[in-house]
Amino acid sequence: MSTTKKIVNSSINKIPQLTLLFWIMKIAATTLGETGSDLVTVPGTEDNYLIPFLFFIGVFAFFLTIQLFVKKYTPPVYWIVILSTSLAGTAFSDYMDRSLGLGYMKGSLILISLLAIIFLFWYFTEPTLNVKSIATKRVEVLYWIAILISNTLGTAAGDFLSHKAEGVGKLASGGSYLEQGLGLTIAQGAMVTGGLILLVILAYWFTNMNRVFLFWIGFVLTRPFGATFGDYLIKPHEKGGLGLENGTQIASAILLAILVICMIIEFATRKSQIDKSNKTHKDTI
């Protein structure tokens, strides 16, 4: 497919081209979701995770409405919606697993079931899960719901990897929740999810596995990678993190800067492609 057609199709679908830059931005946004959520999650009350979730789901709904009504792919709007799903997903996962006391395993299983239901409904509504075929508002809404749930699942799965195999966590309010994790360190959790993403990349390049399946597996895996890597950046040494002073603020600022720089690069690349396409068109007239 020519560059011009790719740009046109991307505009119709209102999503970015699935390039390396897309995946860098996705990881930066999902990791920022982990660190950014911690900036507004203030321990001390039983529903401390519910309040940030309600705030971020409101932000998500606001920018999703804008995204649904724009006529073409608009990077700031698209990536703010992605970021808001990561922030809301992090807060909601913490609310389910900790405040409601479901634990990481049960919370993850519930979210896997919800994601499967969304995919089944999507498939029977529009017989493809290919994000390049998003051409109606209904499918676009399903796409964003799937992203919100997958980012929530990613947080729960990341916590499941890096918490005690059997234990009870304590909330600042005095409540408790089941940890039920695999007992890996935060760094080990990041390496496991990073390794799984590498396997998806290898499968993409060296096998004939279904590309749509690989996309969604990779998309879901970036969230637990972001969750564990984000925790590694901001948690103290005794919890397996780097223990940086003001680590949450510093990591969030760096990740936001990466996201903005990537958007600028993407804009410049697309503009260059369009200018080159227009020049070629004029030369052929």
Side-chain angles (χ1 to χ4, degrees):
M1 181 182 289
S2 68
T3 299
T4 305
K5 288 182 179 178
K6 284 183 179 179
I7 294 170
V8 171
N9 285 344
S10 180
S11 297
I12 292 172
N13 291 319
K14 298 194 297 184
I15 63 170
Q17 296 178 44
L18 302 180
T19 62
L20 175 61
L21 195 61
F22 169 85
W23 292 107
I24 292 173
M25 295 167 78
K26 173 63 166 63
I27 291 172
T30 52
T31 307
L32 180 57
E34 182 70 22
T35 61
S37 182
D38 284 358
L39 289 174
V40 296
T41 302
V42 181
T45 60
E46 189 174 353
D47 63 347
N48 61 315
Y49 296 107
L50 178 60
I51 294 171
F53 167 68
L54 294 175
F55 172 75
F56 287 129
I57 203 68
V59 174
F60 165 70
F62 176 77
F63 283 101
L64 176 59
T65 302
I66 297 175
Q67 168 69 19
L68 291 174
F69 283 96
V70 296
K71 300 300 183 183
K72 62 180 182 178
Y73 168 59
T74 307
V77 175
Y78 178 90
W79 288 105
I80 288 175
V81 181
I82 287 284
L83 178 57
S84 66
T85 64
S86 298
L87 291 164
T90 298
F92 187 54
S93 174
D94 288 342
Y95 176 70
M96 286 178 59
D97 301 338
R98 300 176 184 179
S99 296
L100 295 182
L102 294 176
Y104 304 126
M105 181 184 294
K106 189 179 293 184
S108 296
L109 290 175
I110 290 172
L111 291 164
I112 288 171
S113 301
L114 286 175
L115 190 58
I117 290 170
I118 291 297
F119 281 146
L120 284 172
F121 181 77
W122 181 349
Y123 185 79
F124 286 109
T125 300
E126 192 88 11
T128 178
L129 298 178
N130 191 339
V131 296
K132 295 179 181 179
S133 299
I134 296 175
T136 66
K137 287 285 192 295
R138 180 174 58 184
V139 176
E140 190 176 2
V141 169
L142 289 172
Y143 168 77
W144 285 110
I145 292 175
I147 289 177
L148 177 62
I149 295 175
S150 69
N151 281 337
T152 307
L153 169 61
T155 300
D159 286 338
F160 175 72
L161 288 173
S162 57
H163 284 77
K164 298 174 184 177
E166 293 181 5
V168 177
K170 297 294 183 182
L171 293 171
S173 60
S176 62
Y177 62 94
L178 294 174
E179 291 194 320
Q180 295 179 314
L182 291 182
L184 302 178
T185 65
I186 293 174
Q188 288 171 339
M191 286 189 286
V192 167
T193 50
L196 291 173
I197 291 172
L198 179 59
L199 288 177
V200 172
I201 294 171
L202 293 175
Y204 178 85
W205 285 109
F206 298 108
T207 74
N208 293 320
M209 289 183 67
N210 185 281
R211 279 4 189 190
V212 175
F213 172 76
L214 289 176
F215 167 81
W216 281 110
I217 292 295
F219 199 95
V220 171
L221 284 173
T222 57
R223 187 64 189 96
F225 175 75
T228 50
F229 185 62
D231 280 343
Y232 179 69
L233 293 175
I234 66 177
K235 296 298 182 183
H237 285 300
E238 57 269 22
K239 292 188 176 182
L242 289 178
L244 298 175
E245 186 176 355
N246 299 319
T248 303
Q249 293 87 340
I250 293 171
S252 297
I254 292 173
L255 290 164
L256 181 60
I258 291 172
L259 194 56
V260 171
I261 290 170
C262 286
M263 279 193 283
I264 293 171
I265 293 172
E266 183 186 40
F267 173 79
T269 302
R270 286 170 62 84
K271 187 176 185 302
S272 174
Q273 290 173 341
I274 292 171
D275 290 345
K276 189 180 297 183
S277 172
N278 290 339
K279 183 178 184 302
T280 301
H281 179 68
K282 287 179 181 179
D283 291 341
T284 58
I285 295 176

